[in-house]
């Protein structure tokens, strides 16, 4: 299965600042998923990207899938304290409906 | 719809003891996953079921871990005997086999501490 890396590992921002996390793979990904995990909580599905160059928006969140389908990004505009948590990308694993999670980017938002 | 249920929520055991975790997926979801999440890391897939058959158990330490999903619904994950490095949160997730977005719905997890 694929391995995905994420940068940065941690990010501290002031409330209202923007935030971006990047997910990278050495091989082409057929698709990629993003999850958010609040402190003490469980991962919650955010989105799945499939097409090369795809851009999807969910309110203040913008997700991109690279043209070569080897990288993806999640951008949050004007962060709020409710955005605190760890953001994981997940790439395809060994079998269908099987995903390998990245190490995550932990976001802290200072009020 | 009801979410993925897991029990117990917390478990503390001594090393070399055994422990079992239970998961009830979302009704109708054919695919069930067990993940191990060590503090500060991403979830690591242990085993994936499609109905009651195993799809992928390549990362399951089979000398001590076992899992079953006998009737294609509930599942149990067992560790016997436990080691200190098994301390982690064990997450169960399920997904539907229909469509192309294989969104995984996670349960609250079981936090295992091995002393």
């Amino acid at each position: 299965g694929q391995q995905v890396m994420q940068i940065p590992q941690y990010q501290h921002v002031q409330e209202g600042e923007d935030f971006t996390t990047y997910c990278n793979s050495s091989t082409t990904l057929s698709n990629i998923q993003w999850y958010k995990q609040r402190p003490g909580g469980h991962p919650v599905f955010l989105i799945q990207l499939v097409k090369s160059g795809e851009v999807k928006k969910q309110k203040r969140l913008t997700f991109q899938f690279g043209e070569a389908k080897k990288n993806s990004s999640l951008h949050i505009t004007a962060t709020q304290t409710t955005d605190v948590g760890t953001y994981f990308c997940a790439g395809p694993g060994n079998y269908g409906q099987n995903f390998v999670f990245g190490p995550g980017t932990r976001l802290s938002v200072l009020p | 719809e009801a979410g993925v249920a897991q029990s117990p929520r917390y478990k503390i055991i001594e090393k070399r003891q055994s422990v079992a975790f239970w998961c009830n997926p979302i009704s109708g979801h054919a695919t069930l996953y067990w993940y191990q999440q060590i503090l500060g890391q991403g979830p690591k897939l242990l085993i994936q079921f499609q109905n009651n058959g195993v799809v992928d158990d390549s990362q399951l330490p089979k000398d001590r871990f076992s899992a079953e999903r006998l009737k294609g619904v509930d599942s149990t994950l067992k560790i016997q005997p436990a080691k200190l490095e098994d301390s982690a949160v064990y997450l169960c997730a399920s997904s539907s086999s229909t469509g192309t977005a294989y969104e995984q719905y996670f349960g609250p997890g079981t936090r295992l501490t091995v002393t």
Side-chain angles (χ1 to χ4, degrees):
Chain A
Q2 316 281 4
Q3 282 202 335
V4 290
M5 298 307 299
Q6 287 185 252
I7 54 170
Q9 189 175 0
Y10 303 96
Q11 185 81 58
H12 305 278
V13 300
Q14 204 72 38
E15 189 173 19
E17 292 181 338
D18 291 357
F19 160 76
T20 304
T21 175
Y22 300 90
C23 181
N24 300 296
S25 170
S26 58
T27 57
T28 303
L29 304 169
S30 58
N31 58 77
I32 193 151
Q33 294 185 340
W34 284 93
Y35 290 79
K36 175 184 178 182
Q37 185 172 25
R38 291 205 163 119
H42 57 273
V44 174
F45 176 83
L46 295 176
I47 209 158
Q48 176 166 299
L49 304 173
V50 178
K51 298 177 183 176
S52 168
E54 188 170 17
V55 178
K56 287 189 176 180
K57 293 190 176 184
Q58 292 178 351
K59 297 182 181 178
R60 294 178 295 103
L61 276 60
T62 302
F63 303 85
Q64 286 190 301
F65 202 7
E67 293 290 341
K69 300 181 76 173
K70 290 185 176 182
N71 56 73
S72 180
S73 64
L74 158 58
H75 179 82
I76 302 178
T77 303
T79 55
Q80 300 175 359
T81 54
T82 53
D83 296 324
V84 165
T86 302
Y87 292 85
F88 294 100
C89 64
N94 294 327
Y95 303 95
Q97 295 189 56
N98 184 300
F99 287 86
V100 176
F101 281 75
T105 295
R106 182 181 294 179
L107 173 64
S108 297
V109 180
L110 304 174
Chain B
E1 62 185 3
V4 176
Q6 289 188 248
S7 68
R9 292 294 309 278
Y10 305 91
K11 190 73 177 179
I12 301 174
I13 62 172
E14 294 183 350
K15 59 184 179 184
R16 291 187 289 274
Q17 287 187 324
S18 61
V19 64
F21 312 126
W22 173 82
C23 172
N24 183 234
I26 291 173
S27 177
H29 279 192
T31 307
L32 184 147
Y33 313 80
W34 282 103
Y35 288 90
Q36 179 193 60
Q37 187 174 26
I38 292 171
L39 187 65
Q41 298 181 17
K44 171 189 166 186
L45 179 69
L46 293 175
I47 190 166
Q48 176 188 351
F49 291 95
Q50 180 79 14
N51 296 308
N52 61 347
V54 175
V55 173
D56 184 1
D57 63 356
S58 58
Q59 297 193 91
L60 187 73
K62 298 180 186 64
D63 58 333
R64 299 185 300 107
F65 286 65
S66 64
E68 59 183 15
R69 193 184 184 200
L70 292 175
K71 296 183 179 179
V73 181
D74 292 12
S75 178
T76 56
L77 175 69
K78 296 179 181 177
I79 307 175
Q80 182 179 12
K83 292 186 175 181
L84 295 176
E85 59 260 35
D86 298 332
S87 294
V89 175
Y90 290 85
L91 294 162
C92 178
S94 69
S95 70
S96 171
S97 296
T98 59
T100 56
Y102 302 127
E103 173 178 352
Q104 295 177 70
Y105 294 83
F106 283 82
T110 297
R111 184 175 298 275
L112 173 67
T113 302
V114 182
T115 62

